[in-house]
Every structure is written in C-alpha cells, then in structure tokens.
Amino acid sequence: RRFLHSQAATMLAVDFFHVDCAVTLQRLYCLFVMEVGSRYVHILGVTANPDGPWTTQQIRNLLMDLGDRAAGFRFLVRDRAGQFTASFDAVLASTGIQAVKIPPRSPRANAYAERFVLTARTEVTDRMLIFGERHLRSVLAEYARHYNGRRPHRSRGLRPPRPDHPAADLSQQRIKRRATLGGPIHEY
C-alpha cells in the first residue's frame, strides 16, 4: 500500500471491460488506461475482437498522445489477459515503462482500474441501452470528458483530475444543473 501511494504519480493501470450491445447482442470490449496519480482516464478503443495486435496499436497511440509526458511514467499495471502480448510489453519498454503483471485471479491488485470499471458501469453502461460499437464509443468519450473534467473524486479532495472549468463563486451565481449523456448524469 505504501509503495502504491509513493509511486502513484509514475504509474498507469490498464484493463478491459465489456458491454453487451442491446440490438446485435454482441459483446463489445473497451480498453482504457488510468493515470493512477491523477485518476485521469484515457479510453483507448472499443472493439468486438480485442487481440494482441489491436491492443499493441492502442498503446502506441496512447504513447504518442502522451508525448513527452510518457517519460514521467515508470510502471503500467496490467492483468495476464491474452490480449497483452510480448509486443505490448515491448512497446512500453521502448519508452522506459515496465509492465507489471498482477498475480492470477487477483483483481484487487489492479484496484484503480477495477474501481473505474465499477464506476463506469454503475453511472453509465448499466443505465442505458448500447446500440452498437459507434454508440458505445461516443458514450464513453462523453463519459470520459465528464469523469476527467467535472466529476468529483473522493481520493482527490472532491476535485476532478483535470478541471475544465473554474470553481464557481456561489455568492455571485446560481447553481445550474446540466444533463450529460441524455440524463443519467447531471453536472452542477
């Protein structure tokens, strides 16, 4: 526990979660990465067939998006799923990031990623019907904007990872409610 707290700013956590499509009855998989120190989430992609080459390409895309910030990360915590291949680990190693595999059948070892899965399911995907891959991509992109820019996080003193607006002066303004994703989530 002490190690995680001291190394949180240099850690990434990666995982998949699945969503069942309401129309085609197809299972869709979402790959995401969380910056553990700030709790910032990157939705890397959605696919019906997550394989090694697809997962490797998604991590390459993330490293390009991170740019110079990628040098600040030392560890990536992942499970032992077959989609995380040797080439996935090699891409990370080329930027100085060590892939740390959690022990088999121990999801608590990747607690930050598992907590995001629970949050995304309870706040979004369990409350709406997903019609397809494109719909899930747009829903998760909107949810990631909300999660990263407006949603309060207890572990961060009720501040979002990267606020997209300044704190309102309530002596000058009224509180306004805005629906996100068609209503399941409200921002104030």
XYZ file of all heavy atoms in Angstrom, residues 108-178:
596
model
N -7.946 -7.347 -7.159
C -7.662 -6.249 -6.221
C -6.255 -5.688 -6.404
O -5.961 -4.590 -5.957
C -7.841 -6.718 -4.781
C -9.280 -6.925 -4.434
C -9.435 -7.260 -2.994
N -10.842 -7.474 -2.680
C -11.285 -7.777 -1.502
N -10.450 -7.922 -0.494
N -12.567 -7.945 -1.303
N -5.399 -6.430 -7.046
C -4.050 -5.939 -7.309
C -4.057 -4.813 -8.341
O -3.124 -4.034 -8.410
C -3.147 -7.074 -7.771
N -5.087 -4.727 -9.126
C -5.266 -3.633 -10.091
C -6.499 -2.837 -9.672
O -7.410 -2.606 -10.448
C -5.412 -4.187 -11.510
C -5.163 -3.143 -12.576
O -4.895 -1.985 -12.290
N -5.259 -3.563 -13.827
N -6.520 -2.424 -8.430
C -7.711 -1.834 -7.816
C -8.158 -0.541 -8.481
O -9.357 -0.278 -8.577
C -7.460 -1.585 -6.336
N -7.230 0.284 -8.948
C -7.622 1.561 -9.551
C -8.407 1.330 -10.844
O -9.432 1.959 -11.085
C -6.389 2.425 -9.812
C -5.698 2.831 -8.541
C -4.534 2.195 -8.124
C -6.226 3.836 -7.737
C -3.911 2.560 -6.950
C -5.596 4.210 -6.560
C -4.447 3.566 -6.165
O -3.838 3.925 -5.000
N -7.930 0.415 -11.660
C -8.636 0.111 -12.908
C -9.980 -0.553 -12.623
O -10.998 -0.219 -13.238
C -7.779 -0.781 -13.804
N -10.003 -1.471 -11.679
C -11.257 -2.150 -11.349
C -12.285 -1.176 -10.790
O -13.478 -1.303 -11.044
C -11.002 -3.292 -10.365
C -10.154 -4.419 -10.913
C -10.787 -5.152 -12.080
O -12.031 -5.176 -12.185
O -10.027 -5.696 -12.896
N -11.842 -0.200 -10.031
C -12.766 0.796 -9.490
C -13.355 1.646 -10.607
O -14.534 1.987 -10.577
C -12.048 1.681 -8.463
C -12.906 2.757 -7.893
C -14.079 2.170 -7.133
N -15.015 3.245 -6.853
C -16.243 3.072 -6.441
N -16.702 1.864 -6.219
N -17.015 4.073 -6.224
N -12.550 1.977 -11.618
C -13.099 2.730 -12.748
C -14.138 1.906 -13.487
O -15.173 2.438 -13.903
C -12.001 3.169 -13.721
C -12.576 3.803 -14.955
C -13.106 5.075 -14.910
C -12.632 3.107 -16.147
C -13.678 5.660 -16.037
C -13.199 3.672 -17.276
C -13.719 4.955 -17.220
N -13.896 0.617 -13.655
C -14.872 -0.250 -14.326
C -16.194 -0.227 -13.569
O -17.261 -0.054 -14.165
C -14.339 -1.695 -14.456
C -15.426 -2.634 -14.953
C -13.137 -1.739 -15.373
N -16.146 -0.367 -12.259
C -17.362 -0.324 -11.451
C -18.073 1.018 -11.592
O -19.295 1.075 -11.771
C -17.026 -0.592 -9.986
C -18.201 -0.485 -9.013
C -19.204 -1.612 -9.275
C -17.715 -0.533 -7.579
N -17.324 2.105 -11.551
C -17.901 3.438 -11.673
C -18.542 3.637 -13.041
O -19.666 4.128 -13.138
C -16.822 4.510 -11.437
O -16.257 4.309 -10.146
C -17.382 5.904 -11.531
N -17.850 3.265 -14.111
C -18.392 3.427 -15.467
C -19.653 2.595 -15.657
O -20.629 3.044 -16.264
C -17.345 3.043 -16.507
N -19.660 1.402 -15.111
C -20.850 0.557 -15.240
C -22.026 1.122 -14.466
O -23.130 1.199 -14.982
C -20.542 -0.862 -14.777
C -19.734 -1.615 -15.790
C -19.711 -3.074 -15.487
N -19.064 -3.757 -16.603
C -18.385 -4.856 -16.474
N -18.253 -5.422 -15.304
N -17.825 -5.409 -17.527
N -21.815 1.498 -13.202
C -22.948 1.961 -12.387
C -23.459 3.319 -12.840
O -24.658 3.581 -12.740
C -22.586 2.025 -10.896
O -21.454 2.865 -10.713
C -22.304 0.652 -10.343
N -22.581 4.177 -13.348
C -23.019 5.510 -13.742
C -23.519 5.590 -15.173
O -24.328 6.466 -15.481
C -21.883 6.523 -13.541
C -21.570 6.768 -12.090
C -20.538 7.852 -11.883
O -20.048 8.446 -12.869
O -20.208 8.112 -10.717
N -23.053 4.702 -16.042
C -23.418 4.857 -17.463
C -23.938 3.579 -18.107
O -25.098 3.497 -18.477
C -22.216 5.381 -18.277
C -22.583 5.562 -19.736
C -21.721 6.693 -17.729
N -23.086 2.588 -18.278
C -23.448 1.479 -19.163
C -24.563 0.600 -18.620
O -25.259 -0.035 -19.408
C -22.223 0.617 -19.501
O -21.670 0.082 -18.294
C -21.174 1.433 -20.223
N -24.759 0.559 -17.307
C -25.876 -0.214 -16.763
C -27.186 0.562 -16.832
O -28.252 -0.012 -16.601
C -25.611 -0.604 -15.302
C -24.564 -1.689 -15.174
O -24.162 -2.250 -16.220
O -24.144 -1.976 -14.042
N -27.124 1.832 -17.145
C -28.323 2.679 -17.165
C -28.834 2.988 -18.557
O -29.822 3.701 -18.704
C -28.025 4.009 -16.471
C -27.757 3.857 -15.017
C -27.486 5.195 -14.425
N -27.464 5.130 -12.987
C -27.632 6.163 -12.212
N -27.833 7.346 -12.733
N -27.587 6.023 -10.912
N -28.158 2.523 -19.574
C -28.611 2.819 -20.932
C -28.385 1.629 -21.855
O -27.547 0.781 -21.578
C -27.936 4.082 -21.481
C -26.459 4.081 -21.437
S -25.634 5.663 -21.846
C -26.774 6.611 -22.695
N -29.165 1.594 -22.902
C -29.024 0.548 -23.910
C -27.986 1.004 -24.932
O -28.089 2.093 -25.477
C -30.352 0.279 -24.606
C -31.458 -0.297 -23.720
C -32.746 -0.424 -24.513
C -31.048 -1.640 -23.157
N -27.026 0.172 -25.185
C -25.987 0.469 -26.159
C -26.395 -0.198 -27.468
O -26.672 -1.394 -27.514
C -24.615 -0.044 -25.678
C -24.243 0.595 -24.341
C -23.538 0.197 -26.723
C -24.097 2.087 -24.330
N -26.423 0.585 -28.540
C -26.924 0.096 -29.823
C -25.841 -0.448 -30.748
O -26.152 -1.090 -31.726
C -27.706 1.184 -30.537
C -28.947 1.576 -29.796
C -29.045 2.815 -29.202
C -30.000 0.691 -29.649
C -30.182 3.173 -28.497
C -31.136 1.028 -28.951
C -31.229 2.275 -28.369
N -24.590 -0.158 -30.466
C -23.521 -0.654 -31.316
C -22.182 -0.074 -30.918
O -22.064 0.694 -29.958
N -21.184 -0.436 -31.691
C -19.821 -0.021 -31.386
C -19.657 1.499 -31.456
O -19.044 2.104 -30.583
C -18.872 -0.707 -32.373
C -17.431 -0.646 -31.996
C -16.577 -1.516 -32.889
O -16.998 -2.634 -33.244
O -15.464 -1.072 -33.222
N -20.209 2.114 -32.485
C -20.103 3.572 -32.622
C -20.812 4.286 -31.480
O -20.310 5.269 -30.944
C -20.673 4.009 -33.967
C -20.362 5.454 -34.304
C -20.823 5.773 -35.669
N -22.243 6.103 -35.579
C -22.959 6.557 -36.567
N -22.443 6.673 -37.764
N -24.223 6.860 -36.392
N -21.969 3.790 -31.081
C -22.709 4.382 -29.969
C -21.916 4.261 -28.665
O -21.815 5.225 -27.894
C -24.078 3.707 -29.831
C -24.925 4.289 -28.765
N -25.572 3.520 -27.827
C -25.236 5.574 -28.455
C -26.240 4.297 -27.004
N -26.047 5.547 -27.361
N -21.329 3.095 -28.419
C -20.538 2.915 -27.206
C -19.330 3.839 -27.199
O -18.998 4.425 -26.170
C -20.093 1.459 -27.057
C -19.270 1.144 -25.807
C -20.045 1.477 -24.529
C -18.848 -0.314 -25.806
N -18.677 4.002 -28.356
C -17.543 4.924 -28.436
C -17.943 6.336 -28.059
O -17.249 7.000 -27.286
C -16.970 4.930 -29.853
C -15.792 4.073 -30.010
C -15.035 4.372 -31.301
N -14.561 3.106 -31.793
C -15.082 2.436 -32.802
N -16.068 2.913 -33.488
N -14.583 1.272 -33.150
N -19.057 6.802 -28.587
C -19.484 8.184 -28.291
C -19.909 8.327 -26.835
O -19.614 9.340 -26.190
C -20.589 8.634 -29.239
O -21.775 7.915 -29.015
N -20.590 7.330 -26.281
C -21.000 7.376 -24.868
C -19.771 7.404 -23.967
O -19.696 8.213 -23.029
C -21.913 6.173 -24.532
C -22.052 5.975 -23.034
C -23.276 6.356 -25.167
N -18.792 6.555 -24.238
C -17.601 6.513 -23.397
C -16.737 7.760 -23.557
O -16.118 8.214 -22.586
C -16.784 5.257 -23.681
C -17.429 3.954 -23.211
C -16.593 2.759 -23.639
C -17.647 3.957 -21.716
N -16.709 8.341 -24.749
C -15.958 9.591 -24.931
C -16.594 10.717 -24.125
O -15.891 11.484 -23.451
C -15.907 9.965 -26.407
N -17.916 10.807 -24.140
C -18.613 11.831 -23.347
C -18.438 11.571 -21.852
O -18.225 12.499 -21.070
C -20.097 11.854 -23.707
C -20.906 12.858 -22.934
C -20.544 14.292 -23.238
O -20.026 14.572 -24.335
O -20.787 15.162 -22.376
N -18.499 10.312 -21.455
C -18.317 9.992 -20.047
C -16.885 10.303 -19.594
O -16.671 10.799 -18.489
C -18.650 8.528 -19.760
C -18.491 8.201 -18.300
C -19.347 8.754 -17.352
C -17.467 7.392 -17.853
C -19.195 8.481 -15.998
C -17.302 7.119 -16.503
C -18.177 7.676 -15.592
O -18.013 7.433 -14.255
N -15.895 10.027 -20.435
C -14.503 10.340 -20.084
C -14.318 11.845 -19.905
O -13.606 12.279 -18.995
C -13.551 9.804 -21.146
N -14.970 12.655 -20.755
C -14.903 14.114 -20.572
C -15.484 14.510 -19.223
O -14.935 15.340 -18.509
C -15.644 14.835 -21.694
C -14.829 15.010 -22.948
C -15.488 15.958 -23.930
N -16.693 15.402 -24.518
C -16.711 14.561 -25.537
N -15.584 14.181 -26.098
N -17.846 14.099 -26.017
N -16.621 13.908 -18.872
C -17.247 14.187 -17.583
C -16.358 13.698 -16.432
O -16.120 14.436 -15.465
C -18.625 13.511 -17.509
C -19.205 13.448 -16.139
N -19.729 14.560 -15.511
C -19.331 12.428 -15.259
C -20.159 14.208 -14.299
N -19.920 12.923 -14.133
N -15.876 12.484 -16.518
C -15.072 11.874 -15.455
C -13.788 12.664 -15.209
O -13.387 12.881 -14.073
C -14.749 10.433 -15.852
C -14.043 9.634 -14.792
C -14.762 8.918 -13.846
C -12.658 9.576 -14.745
C -14.127 8.168 -12.865
C -12.009 8.831 -13.775
C -12.755 8.127 -12.841
O -12.115 7.389 -11.882
N -13.139 13.084 -16.287
C -11.860 13.777 -16.169
C -11.990 15.265 -15.878
O -11.097 15.855 -15.282
C -11.032 13.590 -17.444
C -10.608 12.170 -17.644
O -10.348 11.451 -16.700
N -10.556 11.740 -18.893
N -13.089 15.877 -16.292
C -13.202 17.326 -16.180
C -14.162 17.850 -15.144
O -14.018 18.987 -14.680
N -15.162 17.066 -14.749
C -16.182 17.603 -13.850
C -16.529 16.714 -12.662
O -16.984 17.195 -11.646
C -17.473 17.860 -14.628
C -17.280 18.833 -15.757
C -18.246 19.898 -15.674
N -17.965 20.917 -16.681
C -18.630 22.011 -16.757
N -19.610 22.235 -15.936
N -18.324 22.896 -17.661
N -16.351 15.416 -12.781
C -16.782 14.509 -11.711
C -15.864 14.617 -10.509
O -14.647 14.498 -10.626
C -16.763 13.075 -12.225
C -17.306 12.081 -11.224
C -17.202 10.663 -11.775
N -17.771 9.724 -10.855
C -17.127 9.239 -9.798
N -15.903 9.634 -9.527
N -17.716 8.369 -9.013
N -16.414 14.827 -9.310
C -15.571 14.890 -8.116
C -15.058 13.499 -7.730
O -15.751 12.507 -7.883
C -16.507 15.448 -7.039
C -17.876 15.155 -7.524
C -17.818 15.095 -9.023
N -13.834 13.456 -7.222
C -13.201 12.210 -6.801
C -12.845 12.328 -5.325
O -12.144 13.261 -4.927
C -11.934 11.943 -7.619
C -12.196 11.703 -9.057
N -12.225 10.445 -9.601
C -12.468 12.547 -10.083
C -12.496 10.525 -10.891
N -12.632 11.791 -11.209
N -13.315 11.406 -4.529
C -13.044 11.454 -3.090
C -11.554 11.426 -2.788
O -11.078 12.100 -1.894
C -13.714 10.274 -2.388
C -15.101 10.596 -1.958
C -15.512 9.611 -0.905
N -16.598 8.815 -1.441
C -16.982 7.664 -0.972
N -16.354 7.129 0.040
N -17.978 7.017 -1.492
N -10.823 10.624 -3.515
C -9.396 10.498 -3.252
C -8.625 11.763 -3.594
O -7.481 11.914 -3.205
C -8.824 9.333 -4.043
O -8.948 9.582 -5.424
N -9.247 12.672 -4.326
C -8.588 13.914 -4.719
C -9.217 15.132 -4.041
O -9.152 16.236 -4.563
C -8.647 14.071 -6.235
C -7.916 12.946 -6.956
C -7.803 13.163 -8.437
N -7.660 14.527 -8.856
C -6.516 15.222 -8.845
N -5.419 14.663 -8.425
N -6.480 16.465 -9.266
N -9.838 14.941 -2.905
C -10.442 16.065 -2.191
C -11.620 16.661 -2.943
O -11.808 17.878 -2.942
N -12.410 15.808 -3.619
C -13.589 16.191 -4.407
C -13.251 17.099 -5.591
O -14.081 17.874 -6.043
C -14.657 16.832 -3.513
C -15.185 15.918 -2.408
C -16.208 16.648 -1.575
C -15.779 14.646 -2.998
N -12.036 16.972 -6.101
C -11.649 17.700 -7.309
C -11.551 16.707 -8.463
O -11.121 15.572 -8.277
C -10.286 18.366 -7.118
C -10.268 19.480 -6.101
C -8.879 20.117 -6.008
N -7.786 19.157 -6.106
C -7.187 18.585 -5.057
N -7.571 18.858 -3.848
N -6.202 17.731 -5.233
N -11.931 17.107 -9.672
C -11.741 16.226 -10.828
C -10.256 16.149 -11.208
O -9.472 17.014 -10.806
C -12.571 16.882 -11.935
C -12.853 18.252 -11.477
C -12.662 18.321 -10.006
N -9.862 15.147 -11.991
C -8.453 15.012 -12.369
C -7.889 16.249 -13.076
O -6.836 16.728 -12.738
C -8.443 13.804 -13.309
C -9.602 12.997 -12.876
C -10.646 13.992 -12.432
N -8.603 16.755 -14.062
C -8.184 17.967 -14.774
C -9.432 18.816 -15.000
O -10.110 18.674 -16.014
C -7.548 17.623 -16.112
C -6.240 16.914 -15.958
C -5.519 16.791 -17.272
N -4.448 15.829 -17.107
C -4.043 15.014 -18.057
N -4.587 15.045 -19.237
N -3.069 14.168 -17.824
N -9.738 19.709 -14.047
C -10.972 20.504 -14.155
C -11.014 21.289 -15.464
O -10.026 21.893 -15.868
C -10.913 21.444 -12.959
C -9.879 20.884 -12.054
C -8.963 20.061 -12.880
N -12.180 21.257 -16.124
C -12.335 22.005 -17.370
C -13.052 23.331 -17.153
O -13.419 24.004 -18.114
C -13.044 21.161 -18.425
C -14.428 20.723 -18.001
O -14.890 21.116 -16.916
O -15.060 19.975 -18.761
N -13.260 23.717 -15.912
C -13.893 24.996 -15.581
C -13.438 25.430 -14.189
O -13.110 24.588 -13.357
C -15.411 24.861 -15.634
C -15.966 23.982 -14.555
N -15.762 22.617 -14.532
C -16.669 24.271 -13.436
C -16.345 22.105 -13.463
N -16.885 23.085 -12.770
N -13.391 26.740 -13.937
C -13.010 27.188 -12.592
C -14.150 26.973 -11.605
O -15.312 26.850 -11.995
C -12.718 28.681 -12.788
C -13.543 29.064 -13.965
C -13.591 27.843 -14.858
N -13.812 26.944 -10.324
C -14.838 26.805 -9.286
C -15.725 28.043 -9.302
O -15.240 29.173 -9.413
C -14.182 26.639 -7.923
N -17.024 27.834 -9.204
C -17.980 28.940 -9.269
C -18.022 29.690 -7.942
O -17.930 29.096 -6.869
C -19.371 28.415 -9.609
N -18.184 30.996 -8.038
C -18.387 31.824 -6.854
C -19.887 31.839 -6.588
O -20.649 32.517 -7.272
C -17.857 33.232 -7.103
C -18.055 34.143 -5.910
O -18.351 33.627 -4.811
O -17.909 35.369 -6.084
N -20.331 31.074 -5.585
C -21.757 30.903 -5.339
C -22.426 32.158 -4.779
O -23.648 32.236 -4.745
C -21.999 29.712 -4.422
C -21.569 28.369 -5.020
C -21.809 27.249 -4.035
C -22.295 28.101 -6.319
N -21.657 33.136 -4.349
C -22.264 34.393 -3.896
C -22.687 35.239 -5.089
O -23.519 36.128 -4.960
C -21.293 35.178 -3.016
O -20.156 35.571 -3.777
N -22.141 34.963 -6.266
C -22.446 35.731 -7.469
C -23.311 34.969 -8.473
O -23.941 35.571 -9.330
C -21.144 36.138 -8.178
C -20.178 36.891 -7.307
C -20.707 38.269 -6.933
O -21.458 38.876 -7.678
N -20.334 38.736 -5.756
N -23.339 33.649 -8.388
C -24.023 32.840 -9.386
C -24.966 31.854 -8.724
O -24.783 31.483 -7.564
C -23.014 32.051 -10.226
C -22.066 32.902 -11.004
C -21.019 32.034 -11.708
O -20.807 30.885 -11.350
N -20.375 32.601 -12.708
N -25.971 31.433 -9.481
C -26.867 30.377 -9.027
C -26.342 29.037 -9.498
O -25.662 28.933 -10.502
C -28.259 30.579 -9.621
C -28.951 31.808 -9.076
C -30.350 31.869 -9.563
N -30.982 30.574 -9.257
C -32.218 30.266 -9.568
N -32.971 31.139 -10.182
N -32.724 29.093 -9.272
N -26.679 28.012 -8.778
C -26.291 26.665 -9.176
C -27.195 26.235 -10.314
O -28.417 26.350 -10.236
C -26.403 25.688 -7.993
C -25.430 26.096 -6.901
C -26.148 24.264 -8.452
C -25.564 25.270 -5.642
N -26.584 25.740 -11.390
C -27.336 25.268 -12.552
C -27.032 23.794 -12.762
O -25.903 23.351 -12.597
C -26.940 26.056 -13.797
C -27.295 27.516 -13.714
C -26.843 28.232 -14.944
C -27.095 29.721 -14.800
N -26.532 30.465 -15.904
N -28.058 23.074 -13.146
C -27.908 21.643 -13.409
C -27.938 21.415 -14.908
O -28.770 21.981 -15.619
C -29.029 20.866 -12.739
C -28.892 19.372 -12.941
C -29.907 18.635 -12.151
N -31.190 18.730 -12.809
C -32.258 18.024 -12.478
N -32.192 17.196 -11.461
N -33.380 18.146 -13.121
N -27.003 20.582 -15.382
C -26.921 20.271 -16.802
C -26.875 18.757 -16.956
O -26.074 18.078 -16.308
C -25.665 20.898 -17.394
C -25.520 20.701 -18.890
C -24.257 21.377 -19.377
N -23.109 20.594 -19.026
C -22.341 19.967 -19.937
N -22.599 20.054 -21.208
N -21.307 19.258 -19.544
